[in-house]
Amino acid sequence: MRWWYVLLLTGFLMLSGAWSVKAQQLPMPTDDLLNDAEEEGDWDFTFRVGINGSQAYYREWAQGGVDRIAVIGNTVFTGVYTEGPYQYGLRVNLRYGQTRQDRGAFRKSDDRIRIRNQFRRKFEDERFSLTANINFETQFDKGYDRDFEEVQSRFMAPGTLTETVGLSYDPDSYLESTVGISLRQTFISDTSLSERYGLDKGSWFRNEAGFTVILNYEREIWDNVSYTGYLETFSNLQESLLNTDFVITNEFEGKINDYLTTNFEFSMRYNNDVTNALQIKQILSVGLNFHFM
């Protein structure tokens, strides 16, 4: 069933390219670093800081309820350099959130360290380009199971480094697609978690070779409402295509004013080295966003 999720979203992204909605530059971060670069021979920098949260308090409320508080902070730094047909882009995306329910302990609700490096050489037909990516991802803090007893992740457990070289096709300013060959390294700083992430017992490192498909779509779909969709797959050359890893993210951002926004994120992930179940994450939040560059 997991392939149906990929096929459905892929079809949605492709059909979305036919929407007749006026496009504007989006305020949210995506993994397409280079399409929006404007100045040639110079750097273009952006830096955004956001704080999103929610809170609920009940006292003698007849219908019942549970006190809760949640806060998520995120920063996005992007730098793009253009020189003739060559482009380089860097994006650093950091997210961290805590939540507390009733009088329980604070627990991690979101955690991300993601660094994207993208190199591009455009062809004469600028819809096509040769692309190279070096991407790194891990998390800051310990992650626990639902019972808050067993540690499931921590800094650099896992950490992943992925290098991809491929061909990109950008039919318009909204959609970027890349197909390429990849190397992926997995690092485990705590070897007690090695088997949880598909490594041999006590092992701290694994290298895989495969091929990757990436789709990235971003567009303003209504006034002050923007959508970003991202699909990335990794197929290990030594395994069946049915074991292809994938991650799908969908994010809607509604701009209330220059500082206040509301966000809805829905993500799905599959990696049979971790679990045969489809992993799902959904976050709805309201927060403040500040742009410095």
Side-chain angles (χ1 to χ4, degrees), residues 217-248:
Y217 185 85
E218 53 175 320
R219 193 168 189 173
E220 184 176 72
I221 55 177
W222 298 295
D223 288 343
N224 296 322
V225 178
S226 302
Y227 167 75
T228 294
Y230 182 72
L231 165 67
E232 180 176 351
T233 72
F234 179 83
S235 301
N236 190 317
L237 294 176
Q238 296 181 327
E239 297 182 5
S240 167
L241 287 176
L242 296 177
N243 292 328
T244 294
D245 301 339
F246 67 81
V247 57
I248 298 171

Side-chain angles (χ1 to χ4, degrees), residues 55-58 64-69 100-103:
Q55 181 270 335
Y57 172 75
Y58 300 88
V66 178
D67 296 350
R68 62 184 179 274
I69 184 172
R100 181 183 184 184
Q101 185 164 301
D102 203 9
R103 294 177 176 81

